[in-house]
């Protein structure tokens, strides 16, 4: 590799500093969403439920029992991962496994304790969102509308990309 001299360095393309207004689009959104994710992770860490238990109970809180395979597909996780997480939730008394007549695969559903702990954790999490929306005052509805549109557009972009 040839040595870099002042004249050859001048011809090497370098990243030019960008004015602040050029950073206000995608980079600003990415920065804000990163900060939101940091806050969300902190709230998740402080939750009375672990992340895996929370996801399982969220999915099963609709009242429909599911098989391991259905849970894995819905959460887009490997079945072995779901099996490990379900076994932990079963041991903690959050889920129950049962056999339904006419079905070969065993089904899973939340226990009363699991639902109660899920409701407590959900109330705690939603309280943080409610506080954030309250800080927006009359603009909260507009924010939610724009956030919904942004989320849909971003989802389409990453699925196509």
């Amino acid at each position: 590799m040839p040595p870099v001299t002042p004249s050859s360095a001048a011809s090497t393309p370098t990243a030019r500093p960008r004015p602040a207004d050029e950073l206000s689009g995608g980079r600003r959104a990415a920065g804000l969403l990163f900060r939101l994710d940091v806050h969300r992770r902190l709230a998740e860490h402080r939750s009375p439920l672990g992340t895996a238990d929370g996801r399982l109970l969220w999915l099963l809180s609709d009242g429909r029992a599911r098989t391991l395979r259905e849970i894995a597909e819905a959460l887009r996780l490997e079945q072995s991962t779901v099996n490990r997480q379900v076994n932990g939730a079963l041991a903690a008394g959050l889920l129950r496994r049962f056999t339904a007549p006419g079905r070969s695969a065993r089904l899973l559903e939340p226990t009363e304790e699991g639902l109660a702990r899920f409701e407590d954790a959900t109330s705690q999490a939603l309280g943080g969102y409610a506080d954030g929306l309250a800080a927006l005052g009359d603009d909260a509805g507009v924010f939610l509308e724009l956030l919904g549109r942004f989320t849909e557009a971003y989802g389409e972009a990453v699925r196509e990309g």
Side-chain angles (χ1 to χ4, degrees):
M1 175 178 263
V4 177
T5 63
S7 61
S8 67
S11 65
T12 305
T14 58
R16 65 177 178 81
R18 293 182 168 195
D21 61 335
E22 284 187 40
L23 298 178
S24 65
R27 283 181 183 255
R28 184 164 182 222
L32 290 169
L33 291 170
F34 174 79
R35 287 178 50 203
L36 179 64
D37 192 49
V38 168
H39 300 317
R40 185 196 55 76
R41 287 184 204 194
L42 176 61
E44 203 171 71
H45 177 73
R46 292 181 175 170
S47 173
L49 281 178
T51 303
D53 292 337
R55 287 184 187 141
L56 286 169
L57 289 167
W58 184 278
L59 177 66
L60 296 169
S61 69
D62 65 359
R64 188 169 75 84
R66 291 175 176 80
T67 65
L68 275 176
R69 174 178 280 172
E70 290 170 332
I71 293 170
E73 288 172 1
L75 297 178
R76 296 183 180 186
L77 294 172
E78 293 292 325
Q79 194 164 337
S80 61
T81 300
V82 171
N83 188 48
R84 187 178 65 253
Q85 293 174 352
V86 162
N87 284 332
L90 287 165
L94 302 175
L95 299 179
R96 79 174 194 100
R97 189 179 313 207
F98 65 98
T99 303
R103 296 207 50 178
S104 59
R106 296 177 75 190
L107 298 172
L108 295 149
E109 68 181 4
T111 61
E112 290 298 320
E113 179 186 348
L115 286 174
R117 289 186 54 196
F118 172 72
E119 288 303 324
D120 288 345
T122 301
S123 293
Q124 183 178 322
L126 294 179
Y129 290 124
D131 291 347
L133 290 169
L136 298 178
D138 293 340
D139 293 331
V142 172
F143 169 76
L144 290 172
E145 173 64 30
L146 292 173
L147 181 60
R149 287 176 31 205
F150 173 84
T151 302
E152 288 301 315
Y154 178 76
E156 287 177 26
V158 297
R159 281 190 298 274
E160 294 172 4

